Amino acid sequence: MNKKFEQMSLKELWQLFPIFLVKHNKEWTKWYEEERKSILSALPSKSTKRISHIGSTAISGIWAKNIVDILVEVNDKADLDFVKNTLINKGWLCMNMTEARITLNKGYTEQGFAERVFHLHIRIVGDNDELYFRDYLNEHKEIGKEYEVLKLSLWKKFEHDRDGYTEAKTDFIRKYTNLAKSLYGKRY
């Protein structure tokens, strides 16, 4: 009998859901659009300000984890909780929650990843640095390729350590996010 997620240790979860990268898949944009429509149909329009495709699957041509990241920006804390509760009732699982950020997922099973996997980041409007990073790497393909090389170099080292993988990319992401914000100004 398989364990339920809540019975698994972090080490067991990282074994079941390892870091793995695949070549860019043009289907990711389609998956995002389909999931975006599903999210919009579940939520009243007044509760969301913007829904965006973020993460490496939103950066053209680079290898990425086969997980589509979606950012949902809401008006305030009340909308944050409302959106979370509504989407949990629609089958999303809560991965992480702080005062101003909630991460849900879809496509994780006790047997491993489903065919389509999503991470949904719910934030208060304006908490959207990922948009700057995404746009900068899409507009500067050579930096996007540098990011790909970095990710590929970290893959096997951190295959079963998501926190380590994320931390090892932090300086690169921060550098180009800050550069993008200085160049683009208040774009979002």
Side-chain angles (χ1 to χ4, degrees):
M1 186 166 87
N2 292 330
K3 284 184 175 181
K4 298 288 183 197
F5 292 135
E6 56 272 5
Q7 298 169 319
M8 293 181 189
S9 69
L10 190 56
K11 187 174 182 176
E12 289 173 314
L13 288 167
W14 284 348
Q15 289 298 316
L16 184 59
F17 303 109
I19 299 291
F20 73 99
L21 302 176
V22 297
K23 286 184 179 181
H24 186 82
N25 181 349
K26 292 181 179 175
E27 291 293 305
W28 289 331
T29 301
K30 180 181 167 192
W31 295 359
Y32 159 72
E33 287 298 336
E34 290 172 0
E35 202 58 41
R36 180 181 174 275
K37 288 176 186 169
S38 176
I39 293 165
L40 285 171
S41 72
L43 299 172
S45 60
K46 65 179 176 57
S47 65
T48 58
K49 284 296 204 182
R50 178 180 21 236
I51 300 179
S52 306
H53 186 185
I54 60 170
S56 294
T57 61
I59 300 169
S60 181
I62 71 167
W63 283 56
K65 293 190 305 288
N66 197 32
I67 298 170
V68 174
D69 286 280
I70 301 172
L71 174 64
V72 175
E73 292 179 81
V74 300
N75 299 302
D76 53 33
K77 176 76 171 97
D79 284 334
L80 195 72
D81 292 331
F82 173 78
V83 168
K84 175 195 75 159
N85 293 331
T86 300
L87 294 175
I88 285 174
N89 288 331
K90 296 286 185 184
W92 288 82
L93 299 172
C94 188
M95 290 172 59
N96 188 25
M97 187 168 60
T98 65
E99 184 69 27
R101 290 180 163 201
I102 298 171
T103 306
L104 305 180
N105 72 29
K106 188 177 190 179
Y108 286 70
T109 75
E110 277 88 14
Q111 294 75 43
F113 292 114
E115 179 185 354
R116 294 184 184 190
V117 182
F118 300 92
H119 286 179
L120 186 68
H121 308 268
I122 309 167
R123 313 249 185 86
I124 296 171
V125 70
D127 184 359
N128 55 21
D129 282 358
E130 293 88 348
L131 299 177
Y132 291 91
F133 184 72
R134 175 201 68 194
D135 289 356
Y136 190 84
L137 269 60
N138 277 323
E139 292 169 20
H140 299 87
K141 300 294 186 199
E142 71 286 358
I143 305 302
K145 285 298 179 186
E146 282 182 36
Y147 187 52
E148 176 185 65
V149 168
L150 173 63
K151 289 160 56 77
L152 289 168
S153 76
L154 299 171
W155 172 8
K156 293 300 179 182
K157 179 178 180 182
F158 293 104
E159 184 174 15
H160 299 287
D161 179 0
R162 283 183 181 269
D163 291 345
Y165 178 76
T166 300
E167 179 61 32
K169 298 182 304 176
T170 298
D171 288 343
F172 185 97
I173 292 168
R174 186 177 297 125
K175 174 183 176 180
Y176 289 104
T177 298
N178 289 338
L179 179 59
K181 289 172 93 173
S182 70
L183 290 172
Y184 301 148
K186 184 75 173 139
R187 185 179 248 189
Y188 302 104

